Amino acid sequence: MASSNRAIVRGIADTFTQAVAQYFGDGPTDVEAAKRQHEGYVNALSGFGVDVKILPADNDFPDCCFVEDQVIICDGKGLLTVSGHDTRVGEQEVVANAINDDIELSKMEPPARMDGGDVMKFGDTYICGISSRTNVEGVQVLREFVAPLGYTVHEIPVPPNALHFKSITSCPAPGMIIAPETFFAEDAFPEGADLIWIPAEEVYGANTIAFGNTLLVPEGYPATHKILRERGFELHAIDMSQIRAADGSLTCLSVFY
Ligand code: CIR
């Protein structure tokens, strides 16, 4: 769910074809198309009433559009992560500078590592994936960050065929989680979660952003869209094909703060 009505995003680098990619895609092939898709994303957020601040891309960082990975926001405070991929560590400063007038920031230190794509707010719990990018030390820092604010952390293993926990899930409404069949054990999720299972072959369709009863969804996942409509959601679909080719999902492209 969108957790506030202001967000930062960051443009697509001219070097986007060099983005890290090993899960959903083999790497983007068309930077201009990626830029158009990113513009479509920004327009969609704006159309939902989000005040979007656009940070300039940096061609030294092909993955710089994926701002979500750099900071975890909790009730007006921010935890800057230690990026889970070495090539992405230098993306953070620009993100931190863009929000530090509004958000009190603290900084994770190595050996802790985390990508924001592994962290989902779920009521008074933060579900945190343990993945190739987020380690147990990172989860411990997250726990210490959210505990004084009244939240607990629920760890969940991310299967080896997925990048981040939220690459393959989302929370479309309080208490609900969209997840692909076969990727998780049912009891891996917090007790009482209302799980909306989608077909494994449409795994990319699991990541959505909710604006009230309307979900921003990636174009092209018909079985998932049918399931979500049957659950009573309205859908707003956008083309994410070039972003997907860089292993990016809808939530990866913004930080709501
Ligand atoms: C990466 O491998 O780090 C980028 N190509 C994709 C990051 C996607 N971010 C996210 O899921 N939060």
Side-chain angles (χ1 to χ4, degrees):
M1 291 179 292
S3 48
S4 70
N5 71 344
R6 62 182 179 177
I8 56 164
V9 300
R10 193 169 183 187
I12 301 283
D14 295 336
T15 51
F16 191 51
T17 53
Q18 292 159 42
V20 180
Q22 63 180 100
Y23 294 92
F24 289 131
D26 295 333
T29 50
D30 187 338
V31 175
E32 290 313 311
K35 288 184 179 181
R36 283 196 299 277
Q37 289 170 14
H38 190 264
E39 203 180 313
Y41 177 85
V42 171
N43 289 341
L45 294 193
S46 301
F48 284 114
V50 180
D51 179 9
V52 185
K53 192 191 277 190
I54 306 174
L55 309 178
D58 182 337
N59 293 337
D60 288 339
F61 296 103
D63 284 295
C64 66
C65 60
F66 299 119
V67 287
E68 171 184 65
D69 293 321
Q70 299 296 337
V71 62
I72 314 299
I73 304 289
C74 179
D75 293 352
K77 295 186 193 302
L79 174 64
L80 295 166
T81 59
V82 175
S83 187
H85 197 284
D86 289 343
T87 63
R88 302 198 52 202
V89 172
E91 296 171 21
Q92 191 169 68
E93 196 179 341
V94 168
V95 173
N97 289 341
I99 58 176
N100 73 0
D101 281 347
D102 302 298
I103 298 287
E104 185 189 320
L105 294 171
S106 55
K107 177 82 181 93
M108 183 177 275
E109 297 295 339
R113 298 202 87 150
M114 174 170 285
D115 278 356
D118 277 317
V119 181
M120 178 197 283
K121 184 169 186 298
F122 187 67
D124 57 7
T125 301
Y126 276 78
I127 305 178
C128 186
I130 305 284
S131 69
S132 62
R133 303 288 179 88
T134 298
N135 60 16
V136 289
E137 291 88 346
V139 178
Q140 184 54 27
V141 176
L142 177 68
R143 196 171 275 122
E144 288 159 14
F145 169 64
V146 299
L149 301 167
Y151 297 87
T152 56
V153 173
H154 178 98
E155 279 178 39
I156 191 161
V158 175
N161 54 344
L163 173 57
H164 293 133
F165 175 59
K166 278 193 302 186
S167 308
I168 56 172
T169 62
S170 59
C171 173
M176 288 185 196
I177 296 175
I178 305 172
E181 286 164 354
T182 74
F183 280 64
F184 297 99
E186 199 147 338
D187 62 3
F189 293 95
E191 213 181 315
D194 180 4
L195 295 167
I196 304 177
W197 295 106
I198 62 160
E201 59 275 15
E202 291 200 5
V203 52
Y204 187 78
N207 184 269
T208 68
I209 304 178
F211 297 92
N213 194 47
T214 303
L215 305 182
L216 185 62
V217 297
E219 215 169 76
Y221 299 90
T224 300
H225 294 175
K226 184 166 183 285
I227 291 166
L228 296 174
R229 285 199 181 93
E230 282 168 3
R231 282 291 197 126
F233 292 107
E234 305 275 332
L235 305 185
H236 180 106
I238 59 172
D239 183 2
M240 289 286 286
S241 52
Q242 286 294 308
I243 311 294
R244 173 190 157 123
D247 289 343
S249 303
L250 289 161
T251 55
C252 316
L253 292 174
S254 51
V255 174
F256 285 83
Y257 69 105

